Amino acid sequence: MNDLIIQNIAELILPKKTDLPLKGQELAELNIVKNGTVVINEGKIVYAGPHTDDYEAHEVIDATGKTVSPSLVDAHTHLVHGGSREHEMSLKRQGVSYLEILEQGGGILSTVKATREASEDELFKKAEHELLRMIHHGVLSVESKSGYGLDLENELKQLRVSKALEEKYGIQMKHTYLGPHAVPKDTDSETFLEQCIQDLDAVKDIADFADIFCETGVFTIEQSRKYMIAAKELGLPVKIHADEIDPLGGLELAIEQQAISADHLVAASEAGKKALADSDTVCVLLPGTTFYLNKNEYADARGMLDNNGAIAIATDYNPGSCVTNNLQLVMSIAALKLKLTPKEIWNAVTVNAAKAIDVDAGTLEIGDAANLVVWHAPNHEYIPYHYGVNHAEKVIHNGKVIVNHDLALN
Ligand code: NIG
Ligand code: FE
C-alpha cells in the first residue's frame, strides 16, 4: 500500500534527468504526459507516467483538469535582507538610473544599512515570510545570497539566517557568499576586494558558492577574476553577476573560470555567447529584473540557445532591482520578452535551474524525492499565459501536502 496517488492529471510535466545542463535545442525537449498518474510512498516517487490503476494508496488526489510538475527551483535570490526601498520608485520615475542611485549611497548601500541594523531574529522573520511565499508559489529549492552586510560579521549574519531557514523548513537551499556586492562608502574597491578575499576563509564552511557583482563602478573583470580564483582555491565554486548593465566581458570570464553559473547577461557580448558552445556554465537569466529596471533590451536568450548555451530562469528577488518572489510571473516575462517557448521555460525553472545551483531537483523519476506541484491550470502553457497570479493549488514536499490553496471564502 502506497501513501498517495495523484490520478487523472490532465498534463504531467516530466523534465529529463541529466548529468549536465540541457543546452541549445535540448531545452525544448520536455516529456508531457496527458492523463497521467503519480504514485508516492515514503516521500519518494514510485511511479510517474501514463494513467495506471495498478497501484493502491491510503490517499488519492483527483487532478482532473489540472497540471502536475516537479516543484520549481529559484536559482538566484537575495532572500535575506533588511528594510525595503519603495521610495526608489519615484526616483526611477524621475529618470534617475539604478547605478546613479547606487553612486549616491542609495540602492544596495541603503539595504546594507538596514541589514546591519537588523537583528538576526528580525532578518529571519522577514526572510521567512518571503520564503513561505515562494513555497506557496510552488518553489521548493532556493538559492539565497548574502551581500548586504559588506563586512564579515554582517555577511555571516545573513548566511546564518539563510541556513537557519533551511534547517527549519527542510527544503533544499544553497547559500551564496556575495561579499563583493558593492563598495562600502568608507573604502575603495581594491581594498574592499582584498578584504572579501581574506574573508572567504571564514565563510567557506557555511557558504556553498562565492559570487561577485562585476559591473561598471562596482568590480572590474580583473578584480572578479582574482576573487573567483581565490574562492576556487578554497574549494568554493563560483557564480558571477555578469554583464547586467554594461558589456564588460563577464560571460567570457565566467566561462574561463568554469563558473557554475553566470547571471543576468543582458549586455553579454557575441563572443561570450559563442563561447557557450564549449561550456557547461549555466546562464541564469533574470527577466523580472530587466522589467523592473524598466529597460527595453532583455537578455538574448535565443542567441544563447542558438550558440548551444544552457539557460535557466530565476527571480533575482531583492529589494531594489526585482521586488518579486513569484517565479511564475517571471516565467510569463520570459515567454514574452525572452521569446522562450513554454517547454523551454519549464526546463529553465526545473532541471536547468537545479544545475545552476547544484541541487538534485526538477525531476519526478522513480526514487526521486516527491517534491511536486498540482497546478490549477489545464496545461503547461497556461501558467505563463495567465500572468501575475499564483496557480499553485497543492505543493507537495517529500510526499506531504504542505500547501493547499482553496479560493473559498470564510
Ligand atoms: O542581482 N545587481 C546586483 N545585485 C542585485 C540587486 C541588488 C539590489 O538592488 O539591492 C541584482 O540585481
Ligand atoms: Fe542578483
Side-chain angles (χ1 to χ4, degrees):
M1 193 63 120
N2 294 288
D3 291 333
L4 176 65
I5 295 182
I6 309 173
Q7 207 50 292
N8 308 319
I9 302 164
E11 282 199 0
L12 172 58
I13 301 175
L14 295 175
K16 189 167 81 187
K17 217 185 213 15
T18 56
D19 290 335
L20 297 173
L22 300 174
K23 297 185 71 185
Q25 293 180 356
E26 290 172 346
L27 201 73
E29 291 166 18
L30 180 65
N31 183 16
I32 295 175
V33 173
K34 305 248 185 211
N35 191 15
T37 298
V38 173
V39 182
I40 295 166
N41 198 36
E42 291 183 352
K44 302 258 192 275
I45 301 293
V46 170
Y47 174 86
H51 179 87
T52 171
D53 288 317
D54 290 355
Y55 297 88
E56 284 181 19
H58 296 294
E59 196 192 337
V60 177
I61 293 174
D62 178 16
T64 301
K66 312 264 164 76
T67 296
V68 169
S69 77
S71 55
L72 308 184
V73 178
D74 197 340
H76 182 138
T77 85
H78 303 251
L79 175 64
V80 181
H81 58 262
S84 57
R85 308 203 317 247
E86 49 276 34
H87 57 278
E88 283 179 15
M89 271 197 128
S90 63
L91 291 174
K92 277 189 189 171
R93 217 159 30 235
Q94 292 157 31
V96 189
S97 80
Y98 181 75
L99 291 181
E100 282 162 356
I101 296 174
L102 180 59
E103 240 167 69
Q104 292 164 15
I108 295 174
L109 292 173
S110 75
T111 301
V112 169
K113 187 167 181 290
T115 304
R116 287 178 175 176
E117 283 166 8
S119 70
E120 207 152 322
D121 193 44
E122 284 164 342
L123 285 181
F124 182 89
K125 287 209 171 79
K126 181 171 162 65
E128 178 179 40
H129 187 77
E130 298 309 330
L131 177 66
L132 292 176
R133 200 194 300 275
M134 290 179 184
I135 295 172
H136 273 267
H137 282 79
V139 173
L140 290 177
S141 309
V142 177
E143 186 260 7
S144 159
K145 301 178 194 296
S146 67
Y148 292 115
L150 304 190
D151 60 35
L152 182 58
E153 180 194 336
N154 285 291
E155 290 291 314
L156 281 171
K157 180 171 78 174
Q158 279 187 277
L159 290 166
R160 280 196 304 270
V161 167
S162 190
K163 206 74 182 179
L165 286 167
E166 178 188 5
E167 275 155 24
K168 176 160 180 186
Y169 290 99
I171 72 160
Q172 282 177 323
M173 287 185 70
K174 287 283 168 131
H175 318 279
T176 300
Y177 170 66
L178 176 57
H181 189 199
V183 182
K185 276 281 157 225
D186 54 359
T187 179
D188 61 89
S189 79
E190 257 332 292
T191 316
F192 183 62
L193 187 83
E194 284 310 317
Q195 187 59 54
C196 291
I197 289 176
Q198 274 183 36
D199 291 347
L200 282 168
D201 197 46
V203 299
K204 70 174 193 300
D205 294 332
I206 188 165
D208 299 294
F209 305 110
D211 196 347
I212 181 164
F213 187 16
C214 177
E215 187 57 67
T216 306
V218 193
F219 298 100
T220 65
I221 287 286
E222 293 68 32
Q223 290 172 326
S224 303
R225 179 181 286 113
K226 191 171 179 197
Y227 173 77
M228 291 166 102
I229 291 170
K232 288 192 298 179
E233 271 169 9
L234 290 171
L236 269 180
V238 291
K239 292 175 162 279
I240 176 169
H241 280 66
D243 304 325
E244 175 179 359
I245 296 163
D246 290 330
L248 301 186
L251 178 54
E252 292 91 319
L253 176 65
I255 293 169
E256 170 201 301
Q257 291 300 320
Q258 299 181 319
I260 185 163
S261 73
D263 301 40
H264 285 287
L265 304 178
V266 177
S269 73
E270 289 306 315
K273 283 181 261 175
K274 288 233 151 49
L276 286 171
D278 301 314
S279 160
D280 292 323
T281 294
V282 181
C283 302
V284 177
L285 306 184
L286 309 163
T289 309
T290 315
F291 169 77
Y292 204 74
L293 291 176
N294 245 333
K295 298 276 174 73
N296 297 320
E297 290 296 318
Y298 282 72
D300 180 18
R302 294 253 59 99
M304 293 170 193
L305 292 175
D306 289 346
N307 284 301
N308 207 30
I311 66 174
I313 306 289
T315 60
D316 193 20
Y317 167 62
N318 74 70
S321 67
C322 192
V323 197
T324 186
N325 39 355
N326 177 356
L327 186 52
Q328 295 167 53
L329 169 61
V330 177
M331 291 166 75
S332 298
I333 303 174
L336 290 167
K337 300 294 190 181
L338 301 185
K339 309 215 168 2
L340 296 175
T341 68
K343 286 185 174 175
E344 290 171 332
I345 292 168
W346 279 102
N347 278 323
V349 293
T350 53
V351 272
N352 267 23
K355 295 295 175 216
I357 59 170
D358 190 26
V359 289
D360 183 9
T363 56
L364 297 176
E365 298 196 353
I366 296 171
D368 281 348
N371 293 330
L372 56 151
V373 182
V374 180
W375 302 95
H376 187 91
N379 57 62
H380 72 286
E381 289 179 295
Y382 190 90
I383 290 140
Y385 152 76
H386 183 158
Y387 80 108
V389 299
N390 186 10
H391 298 283
E393 187 172 284
K394 290 186 195 323
V395 180
I396 300 174
H397 179 222
N398 291 333
K400 298 257 174 320
V401 178
I402 57 166
V403 171
N404 210 344
H405 284 138
D406 178 359
L407 291 188
L409 304 178
N410 281 329

